[in-house]
Amino acid sequence: MLFDPRTFDDGVLSDVPGWTPSRQHPAARRRSANGFLTLPTLPADIPAGGKLRHDEGPDGLETIQAQFEVGILAARDVKSAVSAGDAFAQAMFAWLRRRTPGCKRLNFTFALLDHVAAREQVEQFGWEDNLEAPLYLAIELPCEQLYEIGERADVMRRAHPSLLYTAMDLVSTAASRSLFIRTPDELAEMFARWHWDYDARMSDEEARAFLEERFGEGDSDIERYLPTNVLPLLAPDDVVPKGRRMDKRNRVRRLRRSELASLAARSRGLPRRICRELVNLQTVLARCSRYRILKTSQWAEPAYSAATIAMWSGHWVGEILDDHFECLSSAGDCTTYQVLIPVASEPKAIRQQFKELACMFEIIAALDRVLTLISE
């Protein structure tokens, strides 16, 4: 079968002479079978590895040259570079490593992509026309960890009715300027996509009609999926920063820095530490308000978040995330990158971009400390 090229049955054309190979293959018996159905032994002088890369176009070389000429990247960080792109990557990642904070909650890393690789990531969404730079710095979110606020919510509520709301409002603001995080508000929106026709503010009556169409009238699961049964555990009113109508008697607001400092002075233990870190986060956000590096970036539809912060990990959260990842696994409409940041090529823009990156790291460090205190 391995040596006979005939594709017909011997019984159909029995009068055709049989085929005999010009080189007979003797039986291997107990000898080595090298060269037949196994990999042959390679001489030591044949290279056993290789490196594949895209050609560096003139625009990419100009950007790399401009980056080094500005002087922020250090030539001493480049060791035995095989190309201009390799030299730039070594210097850039060395700069990033020195400034990336050690995080207990947030999980992220970086990648450098050329124009071709960046286009391949987002062309499935029709966003490739928005990419014009030769090089991109991508924020990569390689996996996702789940943390819960749990009983710490009541600790914050006892300290001040608006402390939990303030914490989540600042977390959302900081995340919008740094790393994508799934918060209780985001989880409620995800739940609404599956069960309430994308409307997280749907009433029980509206939701019931929608759920009856989906599950069938009289299904026992309908009660379980009504907003008044889901939202108090998934995303309570005093946790959701924006967009929820509340009773005036229970209305909460974002506390100012002076109020947080005063509350910290009156509190002890965990509430005091939370207040102090919230004051620090507010200070960092105010100082970095001019720098918005994500504003000029291309969103890359990440499959994962840097972290999921849930009120209670056991109430619908597992179901929401399972449905989310199953859907992405089936459709494939996602990447492992949060955003693609175009690498600047003009001296002024380069200096601005590195300032923005440094500020983003400050926000991430302050945000991670807050998340570490309010979740477990």
Side-chain angles (χ1 to χ4, degrees):
M1 171 179 164
L2 291 173
F3 300 99
D4 194 335
R6 291 177 296 175
T7 58
F8 48 79
D9 192 311
D10 287 342
V12 177
L13 296 175
S14 57
D15 57 336
V16 177
W19 177 84
T20 303
S22 58
R23 180 172 64 88
Q24 297 290 335
H25 292 262
R29 302 185 189 278
R30 297 180 181 273
R31 295 180 293 105
S32 170
N34 282 349
F36 177 65
L37 299 182
T38 61
L39 292 175
T41 301
L42 298 177
D45 59 342
I46 296 180
K51 186 171 184 178
L52 180 65
R53 62 178 175 83
H54 293 293
D55 292 336
E56 293 160 354
D59 292 341
L61 290 174
E62 290 177 3
T63 298
I64 293 169
Q65 182 178 354
Q67 286 277 335
F68 278 106
E69 287 177 348
V70 167
I72 297 176
L73 298 181
R76 66 177 179 274
D77 292 323
V78 180
K79 310 293 182 184
S80 304
V82 298
S83 67
D86 186 28
F88 174 63
Q90 289 186 37
M92 173 61 85
F93 285 120
W95 188 93
L96 292 170
R97 279 194 300 272
R98 285 192 287 268
R99 289 158 180 81
T100 302
C103 295
K104 296 182 179 180
R105 292 290 184 269
L106 300 172
N107 187 13
F108 68 102
T109 185
F110 291 94
L112 276 174
L113 282 66
D114 64 10
H115 183 78
V116 174
R119 284 176 58 91
E120 289 176 351
Q121 290 297 320
V122 299
E123 63 184 357
Q124 59 184 317
F125 313 111
W127 299 336
E128 67 273 17
D129 292 340
N130 298 336
L131 303 181
E132 298 178 353
L135 296 171
Y136 287 85
L137 178 66
I139 298 178
E140 188 170 13
L141 305 178
C143 61
E144 185 165 335
Q145 296 292 331
L146 171 63
Y147 304 95
E148 73 171 12
I149 298 173
E151 295 179 357
R152 300 190 185 193
D154 288 333
V155 173
M156 286 183 275
R157 287 169 176 142
R158 287 193 295 269
H160 193 286
S162 292
L163 182 57
L164 178 57
Y165 178 92
T166 300
M168 296 313 301
D169 190 27
L170 286 171
V171 164
S172 296
T173 301
S176 69
R177 300 186 192 178
S178 57
L179 298 174
F180 169 52
I181 299 174
R182 293 193 213 281
T183 59
D185 191 24
E186 169 70 15
L187 292 170
E189 293 292 336
M190 294 173 71
F191 191 92
R193 292 173 209 166
W194 290 100
H195 303 291
W196 305 329
D197 197 24
Y198 290 79
D199 186 2
R201 288 174 286 182
M202 184 176 283
S203 67
D204 274 10
E205 292 73 20
E206 295 170 319
R208 188 184 298 278
F210 184 78
L211 291 168
E212 285 178 351
E213 291 182 7
R214 178 177 178 181
F215 293 113
E217 190 172 350
D219 193 293
S220 59
D221 280 340
I222 290 178
E223 292 296 324
R224 178 174 179 264
Y225 288 105
L226 292 178
T228 53
N229 292 329
V230 174
L231 293 178
L233 292 173
L234 188 62
D237 288 341
D238 62 345
V239 173
V240 178
K242 301 177 181 68
R244 190 82 60 77
R245 289 180 295 178
M246 301 178 62
D247 190 298
K248 290 183 179 180
R249 295 170 297 177
N250 300 322
R251 184 166 295 170
V252 293
R253 60 182 177 83
R254 175 169 166 173
L255 299 175
R256 298 188 298 272
R257 255 183 292 180
S258 59
E259 293 173 308
L260 286 169
S262 176
L263 181 58
R266 302 193 308 268
S267 303
R268 296 289 184 271
L270 182 60
R272 169 181 277 188
R273 297 199 302 274
I274 291 174
C275 288
R276 286 177 172 174
E277 289 300 341
L278 290 176
V279 168
N280 179 60
L281 180 56
Q282 275 190 328
T283 302
V284 171
L285 288 171
R287 185 170 64 246
C288 296
S289 60
R290 293 172 49 225
Y291 303 113
R292 304 279 184 96
I293 194 167
L294 303 184
K295 189 175 181 180
T296 58
S297 304
Q298 173 59 60
W299 180 254
E301 202 62 43
Y304 305 113
S305 67
T308 291
I309 308 297
M311 283 301 300
W312 298 96
S313 59
H315 294 285
W316 291 284
V317 177
E319 180 180 329
I320 293 169
L321 294 178
D322 285 346
D323 289 342
H324 169 70
F325 291 125
E326 183 179 354
C327 181
L328 292 184
S329 178
S330 301
D333 297 333
C334 61
T335 76
T336 59
Y337 303 113
Q338 175 183 326
V339 292
L340 307 176
I341 304 169
V343 175
S345 57
E346 298 295 330
K348 183 178 179 180
I350 291 172
R351 295 186 185 94
Q352 175 81 3
Q353 190 166 73
F354 278 103
K355 287 180 182 178
E356 291 177 343
L357 281 170
C359 277
M360 185 179 72
F361 285 137
E362 287 189 56
I363 294 173
I364 289 172
L367 173 60
D368 187 76
R369 289 194 294 269
V370 169
L371 294 176
T372 301
L373 289 174
I374 69 172
S375 68
E376 54 187 343

